[in-house]
Amino acid sequence: MASLFVLPKRSRCNYRSLRPSCALAAPRHTKFDSVDQDWTSFNPAGPGSPISPSQRNTKGWTDRNGVEDSRLLAQLRNIALAAQDRSEMHAIIGVQRDNWNKLCHMTVNMTTIAAAMLAAMNSGVGSTSLSMSVAAFLLNGGAAGFMYLAGKYQPSQLAEEQRTASRFHKLLARDIETTLLIDPRLRKDAHLYTEEVMGRLQALDVGFPLPLKPNGLEKFPKVVAPSVLGPVADLAETEIPANNKNGWTDAITKDLQRTADKLQTSDIAKYVRAARNKEIANKRLAIAAPVFAVVAALLSLVGCWPGIQLAGVAAACSIVAVLVSSFSNGGQIGMIFELYRNCAGYYAEMEQDIQSTMRIPVCQREDGELYHQKIALQLGRRDQMPMFSSEEKTAGKLF
């Protein structure tokens, strides 16, 4: 039994003889295993061959050696910083104009109710009092002036304009920050993206001005149009079909074009129509409230003459004026009009973005699958193909 477990004799091993005669060659990778792989050193022509800019496919974000363009990044960060600064400015002014709306609404209600009480008390006594009639006249006249200013400038609409401007400026800054974090191969062309974000910043400056005058938005426009949230797409150029590169396929292209057509014919038209109806109603209320207040003021002044009892009618007109003003300003009809207009502008900007994307070369676009997902999320839908069924009346489900 012991002979079975006899150990072999110790022998000397020449470790140097086990060393290979040449260095082991590293395996060649022809595909990216992950996004985190060093994409700047990838050479589709094979190791040792010269790499052209088109082979790198960095879309202008890096130079020939794979180094990021610091000047381009600085330009984009300057645009993001300007957008953040404008967002804070619009937010501060939005709070101020919301305070204007509340102060104006309270002042009009208190003044008109006080005038109505004086007119009612004046009609209850046997003979009219000159002092009470003059006081009711002044209060109704002052209330009519406040109603006229509130109807002309629409403080609730002004506040909504600034809130929307603050939100879209903040969205622009976050868009730039997010774009700089993803792989350059998935981004849009660097030059086109820089022009796009600069155009969006300038469009927001024009669409949502800070001062009331002289460039303030018209509160009762003759033609109601969606708010401007981005540059207008140049539709004169022809669409470029997908070539199954950069994530773009025929199915994605057709689905996005179908989405853009549905936005144009259904979603945008629906909110423009709703905004037009609110604008008509708001205009009538803005005219009616000060008219009733002026009539109440005149009746209060005329009623002070002996033998003329019009104080009761003046009190009734004051009550009607405060009710109409409360429905207009307290109900924030102007804010609802601006909300509908901005909803139409939101979908219009999305439709313009799809149309402009279809007209640039496929190699310069954002990755097709990511772009399709982004549009679906902005519409409040799942990222699926097709994005919505043919039976649905609208493309968007967010609003």
Side-chain angles (χ1 to χ4, degrees), residues 75-287:
Q75 291 176 354
L76 290 174
R77 290 193 175 97
N78 286 336
I79 297 175
L81 182 61
Q84 291 176 354
D85 183 60
R86 283 170 172 78
S87 176
E88 294 180 2
M89 289 192 295
H90 283 286
I92 294 172
I93 295 179
V95 173
Q96 180 194 30
R97 291 179 180 176
D98 187 55
N99 292 335
W100 286 0
N101 181 40
K102 296 177 181 178
L103 180 61
C104 183
H105 181 58
M106 292 177 58
T107 303
V108 167
N109 286 349
M110 293 176 62
T111 305
T112 312
I113 291 174
M117 293 177 61
L118 287 176
M121 293 171 59
N122 198 13
S123 64
V125 297
S127 58
T128 58
S129 173
L130 179 61
S131 59
M132 295 178 67
S133 298
V134 172
F137 167 76
L138 294 176
L139 289 174
N140 277 316
F146 274 108
M147 291 177 185
Y148 170 76
L149 292 176
K152 180 178 180 180
Y153 292 104
Q154 295 292 320
S156 63
Q157 185 175 344
L158 293 175
E160 179 62 23
E161 291 173 4
Q162 301 305 313
R163 285 192 293 264
T164 304
S166 176
R167 183 171 72 89
F168 280 101
H169 277 102
K170 188 180 297 184
L171 179 63
L172 176 59
R174 290 177 177 175
D175 187 2
I176 297 174
E177 294 173 358
T178 304
T179 301
L180 296 179
L181 291 176
I182 65 176
D183 194 321
R185 297 171 299 171
L186 305 178
R187 304 175 192 171
K188 195 175 184 178
D189 181 79
H191 178 69
L192 295 178
Y193 182 75
T194 306
E195 289 185 348
E196 177 189 338
V197 294
M198 180 60 74
R200 287 171 60 184
L201 182 63
Q202 294 175 350
L204 290 175
D205 290 340
V206 175
F208 299 94
L210 289 170
L212 291 177
K213 292 293 182 179
N215 298 322
L217 295 179
E218 188 177 357
K219 300 302 177 287
F220 303 102
K222 296 181 181 180
V223 178
V224 178
S227 57
V228 180
L229 302 178
V232 180
D234 186 9
L235 303 182
E237 300 180 1
T238 59
E239 296 185 11
I240 300 177
N243 54 4
N244 296 326
K245 294 181 179 180
N246 197 20
W248 286 88
T249 61
D250 293 336
I252 291 178
T253 303
K254 293 179 181 179
D255 193 34
L256 289 173
Q257 187 60 54
R258 177 169 165 265
T259 302
D261 295 338
K262 178 67 74 172
L263 288 172
Q264 181 65 34
T265 58
S266 179
D267 298 75
I268 300 174
K270 181 180 75 171
Y271 284 104
V272 168
R273 184 168 56 252
R276 185 183 299 111
N277 294 333
K278 292 299 179 182
E279 188 261 344
I280 294 173
N282 190 31
K283 186 175 182 179
R284 293 176 180 177
L285 293 174
I287 295 174

